[in-house]
Amino acid sequence: MPLRKQKDTMDSQTTTRASTDSAWKLKGRDLITIGVFTAIYFVVNFVFMLLGGLHPLMWIFMPAFIALFTGVPFMLMCVKVRKPGAIVIMGAVTSLIYFVTGMFTPLILGIFAAVTVIAEAIRAATGYRSMVGDSSAFMVFSLGMCGSPLPIWLFRESFFSQISGQGMAPGYLETLQVVSTPLMMVAMLVATLLAGLAGAAISRRLFARHFERAGLV
Amino acid sequence: MSDTRIPARAVRRADRPRFALVSLDPRTLIGLLVASSVLAFLPKSPAVELALVLAMVALQVIAGHPRLGIIFSVLFVALRVLLDIVIPAAGGLVATMFTMSLTFSRQIFLCLMAGALLMAETSAHRLTSALQRLRVPRSIVIPLTVTMRYFPTLRAEASHIRDAMRLREIPLGRRFEAFIVPLMMSATNTADELSRSATCRGIENPATWTDTERLRMGTADWVTLTLAAAAIAGVAALSGWQS
């Protein structure tokens, strides 16, 4: 009998707690939605990562290409999950898969962590329901992939000596050295932000044309 | 989590009795993957690299996956032949393009081997319960599992959409839209269906999940992890001594 009573009070406690913070807490449904859209984000990201091996310019502008083509899954996830944490989890799962397969350096991991936190802060400040807020969050989030080519400028000397020691193609290295001027770094960052803006605009247009009509968002 | 999504092939593979000297815990294999990832960042001489690859091949064979061992041995030989003999001889722009990608694959070769062993040895269910045992928060475990399981579905879905597009002869300018819209629709539907099924199976239950997997770290597990740690220490010491 006392056990029964205890259980009852526990139940009422959980229901009151659920009614107050269920709006902010990620539930199973949200976590699954994040997982599905992270898979799409990851695949697009991975394809451009592979293409970056073909030409140095493809590598430098990889973050911009990724931003252009991942806007739709990112924005749709934001619309579906209007709660804190969605972007951090998307970034964490992506980094985790990349890290255990040896494709992410500690520098990319750090930059990824920083941009996901800033993107979350932007969404929190704009109340999770603003298209402008989600778009700005996406632009910041896209900068995360800049951590991949950034060592070219940050640790220039040691980067080139290390990478040629690993047996990297001399042709690729020469071209890389020629095209990687300081101006190119600015171009990379600006291009990524602009591509993020374009990616968000594309998804906004697709939302209006298809997803809203289909009752998806 | 929905078990209906495991491909029939995987189930059959797991059921088939096979000859294995040791059976490794998923946590050991995760540790091995992390160790390979650390080794990928350390500079190593070709001899050390070869020794590491051979050790991993030996582990794959001992763990009862001789096919994996053979496949990766052949791949490694092919990679070295291409990088050291064919490409320097061929030269030219195309060769340069591939050198970068091939060098990169060579750098992460151990990770690919450890990853393949993890996938062959553990079901997604076992992996999930291992992550849970490692106290990875549920808000990471669930999306991670869904992401890994959604990759094959995504591939099938993309090829269906491509087939449909080919039938309709969509003009080039509208291809992107015609591809991404159905893909997003199907992803949203999958997320909804999965959520409903997972809710029925009690995903919202805040209590600790129980499961039928019996995970246990045995002697073989600790030996493997110790060897992996020794390999990292050895390679790090060697590279420091050389430079």
Side-chain angles (χ1 to χ4, degrees):
Chain A
M1 199 52 192
L3 193 74
R4 177 92 178 249
K5 198 172 175 186
Q6 196 186 4
K7 189 176 174 289
D8 280 348
T9 47
M10 240 174 68
D11 276 350
S12 65
Q13 266 175 2
T14 33
T15 43
T16 44
R17 192 149 45 89
S19 61
T20 49
D21 61 23
S22 70
W24 295 113
K25 204 175 173 309
L26 291 169
K27 287 163 64 175
R29 158 177 293 270
D30 303 314
L31 296 174
I32 289 172
T33 308
I34 296 169
V36 166
F37 288 111
T38 302
I40 299 175
Y41 171 78
F42 183 87
V43 167
V44 178
N45 193 314
F46 186 65
V47 166
F48 283 103
M49 190 103 153
L50 289 183
L51 290 178
L54 296 184
H55 193 272
L57 281 177
M58 279 297 287
W59 185 29
I60 291 174
F61 289 108
M62 170 189 77
F65 283 116
I66 292 174
L68 195 59
F69 288 100
T70 53
V72 183
F74 183 95
M75 297 291 280
L76 199 50
M77 180 192 77
C78 285
V79 171
K80 287 268 163 198
V81 185
R82 300 189 195 268
K83 294 174 185 178
I87 301 177
V88 167
I89 294 175
M90 185 183 239
V93 170
T94 306
S95 324
L96 210 62
I97 303 177
Y98 268 138
F99 182 70
V100 294
T101 46
M103 290 185 260
F104 259 24
T105 56
L107 179 74
I108 315 182
L109 288 180
I111 292 178
F112 236 76
V115 294
T116 50
V117 169
I118 299 173
E120 281 288 348
I122 293 175
R123 280 196 88 199
T126 51
Y128 299 97
R129 296 194 161 265
S130 133
M131 261 292 184
V132 177
D134 289 352
S135 309
S136 327
F138 178 60
M139 287 165 70
V140 173
F141 179 77
S142 301
L143 285 177
M145 285 311 290
C146 291
S148 172
L150 216 50
I152 310 175
W153 297 280
L154 288 187
F155 322 113
R156 196 172 178 83
E157 296 302 317
S158 61
F159 175 77
F160 277 109
S161 65
Q162 188 208 337
I163 210 166
S164 62
Q166 282 168 355
M168 218 55 102
Y172 190 98
L173 270 184
E174 276 162 32
T175 325
L176 188 61
Q177 241 157 350
V178 173
V179 297
S180 62
T181 56
L183 193 66
M184 197 55 109
M185 185 174 89
V186 180
M188 171 186 79
L189 296 173
V190 172
T192 308
L193 285 174
L194 286 180
L197 189 64
I202 291 172
S203 47
R204 210 179 311 181
R205 220 178 113 219
L206 289 184
F207 281 12
R209 257 169 79 169
H210 301 279
F211 299 146
E212 275 164 24
R213 210 182 295 164
L216 228 63
V217 293
Chain B
M1 293 274 100
S2 154
D3 279 333
T4 52
R5 285 178 176 271
I6 299 179
R9 194 162 41 95
V11 176
R12 250 185 286 128
R13 190 170 53 195
D15 284 345
R16 197 170 51 202
R18 54 186 170 74
F19 178 74
L21 283 174
V22 294
S23 156
L24 295 172
D25 190 277
R27 284 167 288 182
T28 309
L29 294 168
I30 293 172
L32 208 58
L33 196 50
V34 173
S36 312
S37 176
V38 173
L39 282 171
F41 291 119
L42 292 172
K44 25 186 193 304
S45 67
V48 172
E49 186 195 12
L50 183 65
L52 288 172
V53 170
L54 285 177
M56 197 65 102
V57 168
L59 186 66
Q60 286 177 337
V61 174
I62 294 172
H65 300 280
R67 260 190 69 203
L68 273 187
I70 294 169
I71 291 173
F72 276 103
S73 308
V74 171
L75 275 180
F76 190 69
V77 171
L79 200 60
R80 291 301 302 276
V81 167
L82 272 175
L83 273 174
D84 296 348
I85 300 167
V86 177
I87 286 181
L93 183 70
V94 180
T96 315
M97 275 166 58
F98 285 109
T99 319
M100 178 77 180
S101 310
L102 289 177
T103 310
F104 188 64
S105 331
R106 181 179 167 188
Q107 207 188 340
I108 63 166
F109 201 77
L110 273 182
C111 293
L112 298 178
M113 293 183 77
L117 184 59
L118 177 68
M119 290 301 159
E121 186 72 13
T122 31
S123 63
H125 181 216
R126 231 170 125 72
L127 190 61
T128 313
S129 73
L131 287 172
Q132 177 118 3
R133 291 281 188 91
L134 289 169
R135 299 189 200 286
V136 178
R138 213 180 274 193
S139 53
I140 295 290
V141 174
I142 297 173
L144 184 65
T145 319
V146 173
T147 302
M148 301 300 278
R149 287 229 185 140
Y150 192 65
F151 286 142
T153 316
L154 189 60
R155 193 174 169 174
E157 210 61 58
S159 91
H160 289 157
I161 297 172
R162 263 201 303 273
D163 286 348
M165 272 165 65
R166 213 167 291 148
L167 280 175
R168 300 270 304 270
E169 286 178 8
I170 309 277
L172 202 65
R174 299 202 51 201
R175 290 255 171 98
F176 174 69
E177 192 177 350
F179 184 75
I180 194 111
V181 172
L183 193 67
M184 289 298 136
M185 299 269 183
S186 106
T188 313
N189 287 338
T190 308
D192 282 347
E193 282 163 20
L194 260 182
S195 308
R196 253 176 258 136
S197 129
T199 309
C200 292
R201 288 156 190 252
I203 201 175
E204 308 285 5
N205 185 354
T208 320
W209 293 331
T210 52
D211 58 54
T212 50
E213 298 292 349
R214 292 202 164 73
L215 297 181
R216 206 176 63 85
M217 297 288 285
T219 321
D221 292 298
W222 292 116
V223 170
T224 310
L225 285 179
T226 312
L227 285 177
I232 292 177
V235 171
L238 263 179
S239 69
W241 174 66
Q242 272 170 349
S243 62

